[in-house]
Structures are given as structure tokens and as C-alpha cells.
């Protein structure tokens, strides 16, 4: 479990890094649309978005700060899982989402969504699928785990008799609870809803597995 700089260079590095970079970009891009739609995001982003509104910092800054804190635990207890995917995830996704949220507001796209419920629903279905698919590609690159995602793995190893899915669910629900609490303290109300959170919790695992099987079967660098 010890950290080594050698672990950053994986087999088929150049090709996997391109997949990784694209997936990170699209996760931030699609996250920004989910934020503007307002039907919810993944648990981590839901928590960080609502906390960011309370303390007056951007989503990217809050997401980076949380992951830097959690990176300490990842380095100590599961250092072998640190890689370029870890660094790109924790530093870029939140800021990419911030940038595109600014574009959506400046272009009038946000106003369009607020006045067209049918468009919001249709776009939500398409975008949440695209976000989950992007996250699945990121996970299957196997170039490092995000600090947020590492904590349930560390806890699971300390509590081997407790099923991992139960630990992960409790962990995600704790994030949702923090997000809801922050939202209730915000005069503007809760940012997003738990709809997106529940959809991702139920579908992300199966999609990651399906994408992994597809990649291993049809893309040589993942076999």
C-alpha cells in the first residue's frame, strides 16, 4: 500500500491518459449542466456545492480543499492508489464545472432551463447518463482513485465483516446529509435535490462494470 512515483506510469500510459483527461473534462462539463438543471448531482458534488454557497467560495475551491484533506488519509492508508487520475479529479472537475456554469449564466442558457420544464427533464436524463458514462471511463482507466472515493475503501479494510456497499451507502448518505444541512442554512435554499444523488447511487456501479467489460473486449489498451 506504500506510495511510489513509479505507480503514476501505467501500461499504455499515453492512450489511457488521453481517455482519462477526456473523461475528467466531460465530468466537469456535464456536472455544470446538472447544477444548472437543479435536479441533483453525485453525493460529493451535492455536498460541496451547498457548502460552497454557505462559505462564499467556488465549488472548485471547496472540492479541492476537501480532497487535499482526504488525500492525507489516502497517502497514509492506501498510497498505492494515488495516480494522475487522483490529481486531475481533485483539481480540475470542480473548476471546470465553475467555468461552464459561468458560461451558462452569461449566455442565457440558465434562464432558458428555468422557464422550460420539458427541456430540463429531457436534458437531465441525457446529461446524467453522460456524466455517469464519463465517470465510468475515468474509473476504468485505473490511473488513481479520487480521495473522496478512497475513504470507503479504507474503512472497508478496517471493517472487513461489514459489506462494502453498506459502507459506501452510509458514506454517501453522510455527504448528502451535510449538503442538506448546509442548504437549509442557506437563505437561497438547497442547491439541487437528492433525485440525481439516488440515480447515481443506483446506476454508477453497474455502468462502471459494463464500461469496463466493453473496454476490455473492444479496446486493446484496457485488455
Amino acid at each position: 500500500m506504500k506510495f511510489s512515483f513509479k505507480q503514476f506510469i501505467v501500461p499504455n500510459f499515453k492512450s489511457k491518459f488521453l481517455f482519462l483527461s477526456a473523461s475528467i473534462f466531460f465530468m466537469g462539463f456535464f456536472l455544470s449542466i446538472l447544477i444548472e438543471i437543479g435536479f441533483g448531482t453525485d453525493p460529493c458534488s451535492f455536498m460541496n456545492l451547498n457548502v460552497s454557497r454557505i462559505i462564499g467560495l467556488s465549488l472548485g475551491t471547496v472540492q479541492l480543499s476537501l480532497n487535499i484533506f482526504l488525500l492525507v488519509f489516502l497517502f497514509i492508508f492506501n498510497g498505492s492508489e494515488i495516480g494522475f487520475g487522483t490529481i486531475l479529479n481533485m483539481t480540475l472537475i470542480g473548476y471546470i464545472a465553475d467555468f461552464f456554469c459561468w458560461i451558462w449564466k452569461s449566455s442565457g442558457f440558465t434562464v432558458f432551463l428555468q422557464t422550460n420544464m420539458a427541456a430540463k427533464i429531457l436534458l437531465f436524463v441525457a446529461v446524467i447518463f453522460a456524466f455517469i458514462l464519463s465517470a465510468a471511463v475515468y474509473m476504468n482507466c485505473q490511473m488513481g482513485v479520487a480521495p473522496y472515493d478512497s475513504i470507503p475503501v479504507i474503512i472497508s479494510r478496517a471493517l472487513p465483516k461489514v459489506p462494502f456497499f453498506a459502507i459506501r451507502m452510509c458514506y454517501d448518505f453522510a455527504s448528502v446529509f451535510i449538503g442538506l444541512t448546509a442548504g437549509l442554512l442557506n437563505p437561497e435554499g438547497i442547491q439541487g435535490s437528492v433525485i440525481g444523488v439516488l440515480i447515481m447511487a443506483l446506476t454508477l456501479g453497474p455502468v462502471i462494470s459494463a464500461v469496463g467489460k466493453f473496454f476490455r473486449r473492444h479496446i486493446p489498451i484496457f485488455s
Side-chain angles (χ1 to χ4, degrees):
M1 298 301 172
K2 291 184 178 180
F3 171 81
S4 171
F5 283 106
K6 294 180 180 179
Q7 68 201 39
F8 278 75
I9 308 302
V10 300
N12 301 304
F13 173 79
K14 291 182 180 180
S15 299
K16 284 189 175 181
F17 189 79
L18 288 175
F19 275 94
L20 174 70
S21 301
S23 65
I24 292 292
F25 171 81
F26 282 113
M27 285 171 69
F29 175 78
F30 292 126
L31 175 60
S32 71
I33 301 176
L34 290 173
I35 290 171
E36 298 306 311
I37 291 173
F39 289 166
T41 64
D42 62 282
C44 181
S45 299
F46 177 80
M47 173 181 67
N48 291 333
L49 180 63
N50 280 281
V51 170
S52 71
R53 296 296 191 266
I54 286 292
I55 63 179
L57 296 175
S58 70
L59 170 64
T61 300
V62 171
Q63 201 134 302
L64 176 60
S65 300
L66 171 67
N67 278 301
I68 288 174
F69 173 74
L70 296 179
L71 183 63
V72 176
F73 296 93
L74 176 58
F75 183 82
I76 295 172
F77 297 105
N78 200 14
S80 63
E81 293 296 324
I82 297 174
F84 279 109
T86 307
I87 306 304
L88 295 183
N89 184 298
M90 63 185 282
T91 58
L92 294 181
I93 291 178
Y95 287 117
I96 291 172
D98 284 335
F99 172 72
F100 280 104
C101 281
W102 173 75
I103 288 181
W104 306 143
K105 289 181 173 62
S106 301
S107 65
F109 181 62
T110 300
V111 175
F112 168 76
L113 290 176
Q114 291 173 348
T115 56
N116 195 324
M117 180 57 68
K120 286 178 70 171
I121 294 172
L122 291 174
L123 192 59
F124 175 72
V125 173
V127 171
I128 201 167
F129 173 78
F131 178 90
I132 291 171
L133 183 61
S134 300
V137 173
Y138 155 74
M139 294 294 292
N140 280 286
C141 286
Q142 296 182 330
M143 296 185 69
V145 63
Y148 174 87
D149 294 319
S150 71
I151 301 302
V153 176
I154 293 171
I155 296 173
S156 178
R157 287 173 179 162
L159 302 172
K161 294 183 179 181
V162 181
F164 175 75
F165 78 88
I167 293 173
R168 179 71 200 216
M169 285 181 63
C170 291
Y171 181 69
D172 284 336
F173 276 116
S175 299
V176 174
F177 177 77
I178 294 172
L180 289 172
T181 302
L184 292 173
L185 296 173
N186 184 357
E188 297 179 1
I190 298 170
Q191 305 298 303
S193 76
V194 297
I195 296 175
V197 174
L198 291 175
I199 291 175
M200 290 199 189
L202 293 171
T203 59
L204 188 54
V207 173
I208 289 173
S209 298
V211 168
K213 291 179 181 178
F214 177 85
F215 275 15
R216 287 188 293 272
R217 183 176 300 174
H218 298 286
I219 304 178
I221 64 170
F222 290 96
S223 59

